[in-house]
Amino acid sequence: STSSLSGTGEGADSMRLRLAIRTRAGHWTRTPEIMRRVILESPYAGNVERNVRYARACLRDSLLREEAPIASHLLYTQPGVLNDEIPEERRQGIEAGLAWRTVAEASVVYVDLGITPGMAHGIAIARSAGIPVEYRNLPKEQLAEVLSVAAAA
């Protein structure tokens, strides 16, 4: 078989699926544990340039925590995808991002810049789906860098 279950002895919740993959040389190796999937909430509307910079820093922070974040507000608002200024497209982007809740293990909410109505909606949806909600701040140095770059722009 090309897959196996490996646990830490802490019960079923701590078990992670590990996949064996064959390299070009024909040797078998194992992938790292599957990362925790999280929906990332941070501001988007308003000061979009600053908020995009902040969201990217939040993505990095989440990845450094060994998580696999989805930040739909960064993905779906790229040029040529959806226009956040058009209410129907904004709604569609929000709903597409929230569709990830069926596989998310948590909703992580970065609160350094406050909680916007869109973030509050995501928090409410996560709670109603029984998804844990975690509130976070960026490390102070990282936040200061984001804010100083945004102020200089």
Side-chain angles (χ1 to χ4, degrees), residues 2 4 18 32-33 56 61 70-71 93 107 119 125 137:
T2 60
S4 65
R18 292 181 180 263
E33 286 188 2
R56 287 177 178 159
D61 182 70
I70 179 74
S107 177
M119 293 168 65
I125 295 293
N137 295 91

Side-chain angles (χ1 to χ4, degrees), residues 11-77:
D13 289 340
S14 66
M15 294 184 77
R16 298 283 191 228
L17 181 64
R18 292 181 180 263
L19 301 175
I21 44 179
R22 192 170 201 148
T23 65
R24 284 189 175 166
H27 301 284
W28 290 96
T29 185
R30 293 196 178 273
T31 61
E33 286 188 2
I34 293 177
M35 300 169 90
R36 186 170 83 130
R37 294 172 303 245
V38 299
I39 296 172
L40 190 147
E41 298 281 355
S42 69
Y44 182 79
N47 187 340
V48 174
E49 187 174 327
R50 179 203 64 190
N51 293 344
V52 165
R53 229 183 287 285
Y54 176 72
R56 287 177 178 159
C58 295
L59 275 172
R60 178 174 172 75
D61 182 70
S62 180
L63 287 163
L64 292 174
R65 294 171 186 249
E66 300 294 324
E67 295 171 336
I70 179 74
S72 61
H73 54 302
L74 289 183
L75 178 62
Y76 302 137
T77 57

Side-chain angles (χ1 to χ4, degrees), residues 11 30 61 81 95-96 103 116 122 129:
R30 293 196 178 273
D61 182 70
V81 183
E95 292 305 313
V103 296
T116 65

